[in-house]
Amino acid sequence: LEDHVQVAADHPHIRQAFEGWQSAGAPVKLNPGLSYLRAADSTLAARADLLDLAFGESPNDWSDASSFCLPEVVSTDAIQLAAVWQMADRARGR
């Protein structure tokens, strides 16, 4: 929800990248999947407020960052590790 490069509520740089990759035919996903996040950080297992948008699914409202951002309490390390695991699985065809 806090962005180091953009203060606009709709985070246009995220939407632009999402829509650009999608229009190029690339599989695109906002945030790693919940199973990957929970594997990367077991303290997230009980949380019910974590979003899990499917590949290619955009938020209903780009101006509502909470509809596509993970809460700040989720560590950057867990997000990055989960994303790498999920990309590796996709590359291996799982």
Side-chain angles (χ1 to χ4, degrees), residues 20-79:
W21 283 111
Q22 194 170 46
S23 68
V28 62
K29 183 173 182 358
L30 294 172
N31 306 314
L34 281 181
S35 61
Y36 292 92
L37 275 174
R38 289 178 174 148
D41 182 350
S42 62
T43 66
L44 302 175
R47 292 191 67 123
D49 62 338
L50 301 177
L51 301 168
D52 193 14
L53 297 173
F55 274 88
E57 182 181 359
S58 62
N60 293 328
D61 183 1
W62 283 99
S63 66
D64 176 15
S66 66
S67 72
F68 61 93
C69 292
L70 291 168
E72 293 290 321
V73 297
V74 180
S75 76
T76 301
D77 290 345
I79 295 168

Side-chain angles (χ1 to χ4, degrees), residues 75-90:
S75 76
T76 301
D77 290 345
I79 295 168
Q80 291 175 347
L81 181 59
V84 169
W85 284 345
Q86 187 163 22
M87 288 187 289
D89 279 353
R90 286 191 60 83

